Amino acid sequence: MEWLFIITAVFLVLITEIVNSAIEYTVDLVTGDYHILARYAKDIAAAAVLFASIYAVIVGMVILIPYVV
């Protein structure tokens, strides 16, 4: 069961990174010059990756620290 949580956390990070890249490429395709809403879209997509990464670290710590200690 623990491995299921670890694998899910890893794939969540990978999936959010793929969605982040898709959003960034789409924004770049649609907007030629700087636009504040384009920046917000990219920042929010990057924040999703950050939160998924934090979740993965927490899951890893909760599962692996008892084995180390």
Side-chain angles (χ1 to χ4, degrees), residues 11-69:
F11 274 97
L12 180 66
V13 173
L14 293 175
I15 290 168
T16 54
E17 183 59 44
I18 290 169
V19 172
N20 178 31
S21 296
I23 289 172
E24 287 187 1
Y25 287 133
T26 303
V27 167
D28 290 341
L29 178 68
V30 172
T31 59
D33 20 318
Y34 178 80
H35 196 280
I36 191 71
L37 294 178
R39 179 180 153 217
Y40 289 157
K42 288 182 174 187
D43 287 347
I44 291 170
V49 176
L50 176 67
F51 285 128
S53 300
I54 291 170
Y55 171 75
V57 168
I58 292 171
V59 166
M61 287 174 50
V62 166
I63 292 174
L64 297 176
I65 283 180
Y67 291 111
V68 175
V69 174

